[in-house]
Amino acid sequence: MKPNSENFSKNSSNPDQLSHLDDKNQAQMVDVSGKAATRRQAIALGRVRMSTETLAKIQAGDAPKGEVLSTAKLAGIMAAKQTSQLIPLCHPLPLHKIDLQIVADPQLPGYEIRALVITKAETGVEMEALTAVSVAALTLYDMAKALEKSIEIQSIRLLSKTGGKSGDYQAAPETKQG
């Protein structure tokens, strides 16, 4: 059989059908070729909780594996750029800005990791921002596990996104659990 567009399933125009499933309920990459490239932005957040002693050692630059925070930041940036290779069905996107911040939070105790990702494309960058935070948190754990095995990665979530057909999103403020 000669390949042509008729041999391939089409995205359904049925709004009740999930966009990543074809008419046979098989996984598919969403066709975004008909969408306009617009500015898209996403911000994600995660936390890494640890003992006050571990936090102090990282802050002092006294971790056995070396510079924890710059390594974690670089890993998060690199991961955002590789998202389409890590998450099935994600589109490869031209990323115009990746800003990853890792800030000490003595009240946690630990670190808050925040990623801002911006593109001008046909689809959003939520997965890139979430991937940046996730891999930065995993790297922070890896770099500090010799100090403490019980470090916890917590609360990775999307804080906001702008652009695209679905419009803007802003997460509800977090409530303190006691």
Side-chain angles (χ1 to χ4, degrees):
M1 176 186 317
K2 191 174 182 182
N4 65 47
S5 62
E6 292 176 20
N7 299 122
F8 296 96
S9 62
K10 296 177 174 59
N11 285 346
S12 171
S13 60
N14 179 353
D16 294 332
Q17 183 172 354
L18 298 175
S19 62
H20 282 78
L21 297 177
D22 65 15
D23 54 4
K24 296 178 182 140
N25 285 332
Q26 298 296 308
Q28 69 176 357
M29 187 176 216
V30 174
D31 181 359
V32 297
S33 63
K35 294 170 121 183
T38 59
R39 185 179 189 280
R40 320 277 183 130
Q41 173 180 305
I43 300 173
L45 169 77
R47 293 190 177 94
V48 181
R49 180 185 293 264
M50 61 194 61
S51 70
T52 55
E53 294 81 15
T54 299
L55 177 60
K57 285 188 178 196
I58 293 170
Q59 288 295 98
D62 193 21
K65 284 190 165 185
E67 176 46 47
V68 173
L69 301 179
S70 61
T71 303
K73 181 175 181 172
L74 184 58
I77 291 168
M78 291 173 64
K81 293 166 50 173
Q82 299 299 316
T83 300
S84 67
Q85 294 178 19
L86 299 169
I87 309 293
L89 309 179
C90 278
H91 292 83
L93 296 175
L95 301 183
H96 299 294
K97 180 177 179 96
I98 304 168
D99 183 15
L100 197 133
Q101 301 294 320
I102 304 174
V103 178
D105 180 353
Q107 300 301 315
L108 193 54
Y111 290 92
E112 184 175 277
I113 302 171
R114 213 175 268 258
L116 163 73
V117 181
I118 299 173
T119 190
K120 186 173 184 183
E122 297 82 5
T123 190
V125 287
E126 298 92 342
M127 294 308 300
E128 287 74 9
L130 290 162
T131 299
V133 167
S134 299
V135 171
L138 288 167
T139 303
L140 197 155
Y141 179 91
D142 181 53
M143 295 293 292
K145 68 186 177 193
L147 297 170
E148 179 185 348
K149 301 269 190 278
S150 62
I151 294 170
E152 294 179 22
I153 297 170
Q154 304 175 332
S155 306
I156 296 173
R157 65 189 189 117
L158 182 68
L159 289 182
S160 66
K161 75 117 186 147
T162 59
K165 183 179 171 184
S166 66
D168 296 350
Y169 167 80
Q170 183 71 44
E174 259 186 307
T175 57
K176 297 283 184 191
Q177 296 179 355

